[in-house]
Amino acid sequence: MQFEAILFDCDGVLVDSELITNRVLHAMLNEAGWALSEQDCMRIFIGKTVRSETARIEAETGKPLTDAWMAEFYERRNERLRAELVAIGGAVDAVRQVHAQLGGKIAVASGADKPKVLMQLDKVGVSAYFGEHVFSGHDLPRTKPWPDVYLAAAASLGIAPERCLVIEDSVPGLTAGVRAGATVWGYCPKVNAHSTPEQLLQAGASMVFDDMADLHRLLAQANQTA
């Protein structure tokens, strides 16, 4: 089967944002009274929304997770991202190349809030390749690990999920892609990976690769042998 579209996760796949966001979240949770490490914060929240862990945050801090706290988190997070964010190595060229290979049939399906996703895509210079095909799990009934955001992205391109390739770096996101019926490739860089290749394969990845610069070649190979 040939892939007719690629659906990208954003954080950790297109932009190197996860450590930046985690440091802000870690600092704010510590300020609120939850004395966890940066490593534990990453382990608990990677691939998830903050609100998906509301019960645990409230239990650990003894305080309600308010809209005002979330607004401050978004503000502090976005300030750091605007100052520090860069693209994942090879990702900008990968997007350009697969956009040409697939006749523009690419989309972003993120678990993050859409304003953040759009800001990040714009900052690293790939917004034009995706146009209106940018989706957030925050805007759908369920976010990752449920498939809703990938189903919405596939529908926007007019491609059946079964003919889409999903690129993911986290187990919750990978699970969402598999549940959508897509083929999922796990991206696991050699440095600062948040999941192991074994974890991604166990979650349903059909393949794991470690360099976004290889994506166009791997796609061409897959479509030639299909």
Side-chain angles (χ1 to χ4, degrees):
M1 181 187 69
Q2 286 199 329
F3 299 119
E4 298 180 12
I6 291 185
L7 313 178
F8 289 93
D9 177 39
C10 184
D11 297 286
V13 169
L14 298 177
V15 297
D16 195 5
S17 58
E18 290 173 315
L19 287 175
I20 299 170
T21 296
N22 186 68
R23 287 179 184 132
V24 175
L25 179 60
H26 170 255
M28 288 188 63
L29 290 173
N30 272 251
E31 291 165 10
W34 184 0
L36 79 169
S37 67
E38 282 194 14
Q39 293 77 15
D40 283 341
C41 188
M42 182 70 79
R43 176 181 55 80
I44 292 166
F45 290 96
I46 191 71
K48 302 177 185 176
T49 64
V50 174
R51 287 193 184 276
S52 71
E53 293 291 333
T54 294
R56 186 168 184 179
I57 292 170
E58 292 180 344
E60 294 285 353
T61 64
K63 303 170 186 175
L65 183 64
T66 64
D67 290 344
W69 192 94
M70 288 300 303
E72 181 182 353
F73 167 64
Y74 289 148
E75 182 178 354
R76 288 169 62 171
R77 177 202 67 186
N78 289 353
E79 181 180 0
R80 291 283 297 276
L81 289 169
R82 282 190 287 266
E84 301 174 25
L85 184 72
V86 296
I88 291 289
V92 173
D93 283 343
V95 166
R96 176 179 55 79
Q97 290 161 342
V98 300
H99 183 273
Q101 282 174 286
L102 297 172
K105 296 292 186 179
I106 63 173
V108 171
S110 174
D113 52 288
K114 193 169 182 178
K116 172 179 182 270
V117 179
L118 293 173
M119 178 265 288
Q120 293 182 140
L121 297 176
D122 186 60
K123 181 166 174 56
V124 301
V126 296
S127 293
Y129 294 105
F130 295 104
E132 297 180 352
H133 303 293
V134 178
F135 295 85
S136 163
H138 285 228
D139 300 328
L140 294 158
R142 303 172 299 181
T143 191
K144 301 174 183 178
W146 301 104
D148 304 37
V149 70
Y150 280 114
L151 294 173
S156 80
L157 296 171
I159 306 295
E162 293 77 16
R163 303 194 73 84
C164 293
L165 174 63
V166 164
I167 308 298
E168 268 286 357
D169 72 321
S170 74
V171 169
L174 201 146
T175 301
V178 171
R179 287 175 171 175
T183 297
V184 186
W185 289 355
Y187 170 64
C188 187
K190 294 177 182 177
V191 179
N192 291 331
H194 307 306
S195 301
T196 65
E198 292 75 19
Q199 288 171 328
L200 296 175
L201 290 167
Q202 288 172 3
S206 63
M207 182 181 74
V208 175
F209 68 108
D210 61 19
D211 189 345
M212 287 299 293
D214 290 335
L215 180 59
H216 72 289
R217 176 181 58 80
L218 294 170
L219 174 64
Q221 289 177 348
N223 279 352
Q224 285 171 0
T225 59

